[in-house]
Amino acid sequence: MKKGYIPNQHGAWAMLLIPFLFGMFAAKPVWLHVLLFLGWFLAYLFSYAFLQWLRTKKTTIYRRPMQVYGSLLIPIGFLLLVLDPALARLVPFFIPLFLVNCYYARRNQERALLNDLAAVVQFSLMVFVAYQAGGGTDWRLAAELFGFSILYFTGTVFYVKTMIREKHNAMYYRFSVMYHLALLVAGALWFPPGLLVPLTVLAVRAVWSPHTKLSVKQTGILEIAYSVLIAGTVLVVYVA
């Protein structure tokens, strides 16, 4: 039951929630966001089961979750499009990114960097969807939050790999550090000054943490704290 129904991709939960919060609060929270998040959550659960089935072909495990999540997702998705038809314009942007996920799942290479980056962009697109649902009109603001979401989660991808799968890869470590330093510079040039504090914390994390003996569990717990710091700072800087 747990293997088929509950995703084990712990890092995806932050990507599921944070871009949604960015878009929702940048516009304004409305009741439609409740239905939208339910649909977004079900879409993630369905896609997880589908991609795992595509990877393993274990129909006995993943068929039922796909049926359950799909049967709930279809009417909710239909209702969302009835209540806000403009949401349909954003759906095509998700399709090619999801096809990338399908390709790597079929090849049993879900941890490939390109697959991770496709997921980052796909999740970050939720900024625009939540912004549209809230009746937002400043699409430049939405685009800036979308861009920041991509930059932050891309850095997280590099950093987490240096902590787990590429822990002893010196080249990967150097790339992660250079990326975070470049992100700090980009933050100073293009983003509000208030974001420099969390971006500095992320840069220090990228430099220091791979040299520690943090366990996978400890790394995950700290990532939750970093995500809260980023989300809270962005919402204060852009929304408050």
Side-chain angles (χ1 to χ4, degrees):
M1 283 289 292
K2 181 179 180 181
K3 183 176 181 180
Y5 284 86
I6 302 175
N8 61 357
Q9 301 166 335
H10 305 298
W13 297 112
M15 288 198 291
L16 186 77
L17 182 60
I18 290 176
F20 184 91
L21 293 177
F22 283 179
M24 179 177 71
F25 284 107
K28 61 178 179 180
V30 296
W31 284 110
L32 185 62
H33 281 124
V34 176
L35 187 64
L36 178 62
F37 185 76
L38 180 58
W40 177 229
F41 184 58
L42 288 170
Y44 169 62
L45 294 176
F46 174 83
S47 66
Y48 168 78
F50 176 78
L51 291 173
Q52 293 308 305
W53 169 78
L54 199 62
R55 181 177 68 86
T56 65
K57 294 300 181 183
K58 294 182 178 179
T59 305
T60 55
I61 295 177
Y62 296 108
R63 178 177 57 194
R64 186 59 178 167
M66 286 190 290
Q67 291 174 339
V68 171
Y69 295 139
S71 64
L72 294 172
L73 177 60
I74 290 173
I76 290 175
F78 178 77
L79 182 57
L80 282 167
L81 295 179
V82 169
L83 294 174
D84 190 348
L87 292 175
R89 296 180 301 181
L90 299 170
V91 173
F93 292 100
F94 288 85
I95 295 174
L97 297 165
F98 184 66
L99 291 177
V100 172
N101 297 152
C102 291
Y103 171 78
Y104 281 103
R106 186 67 183 86
R107 293 172 61 89
N108 195 22
Q109 295 178 341
E110 287 186 302
R111 302 301 181 182
L113 178 60
L114 184 58
N115 188 52
D116 288 338
L117 297 180
V120 165
V121 178
Q122 187 177 173
F123 279 93
S124 296
L125 281 170
M126 202 59 194
V127 172
F128 292 119
V129 181
Y131 192 73
Q132 168 65 42
T137 57
D138 185 356
W139 289 97
R140 181 177 179 179
L141 171 61
E144 190 168 340
L145 290 169
F146 167 71
F148 185 82
S149 177
I150 290 177
L151 291 173
Y152 164 61
F153 285 115
T154 297
T156 297
V157 168
F158 293 138
Y159 163 71
V160 170
K161 285 185 181 297
T162 66
M163 295 297 293
I164 303 175
R165 294 180 179 273
E166 304 292 343
K167 185 173 180 64
H168 302 293
N169 188 328
M171 183 180 70
Y172 220 104
Y173 170 76
R174 288 194 294 269
F175 188 84
S176 174
V177 170
M178 287 189 295
Y179 178 88
H180 282 85
L181 292 177
L183 179 57
L184 183 58
V185 173
L189 294 175
W190 296 315
F191 293 102
L195 294 180
L196 289 179
V197 172
L199 290 179
T200 300
V201 171
L202 295 181
V204 172
R205 171 203 65 171
V207 173
W208 172 73
S209 294
H211 296 295
T212 66
K213 295 182 179 180
L214 290 171
S215 66
V216 173
K217 182 178 180 180
Q218 290 170 329
T219 299
I221 292 173
L222 285 173
E223 277 307 294
I224 294 174
Y226 294 134
S227 296
V228 171
L229 173 64
I230 284 291
T233 305
V234 169
L235 292 177
V236 168
V237 168
Y238 281 100
V239 179

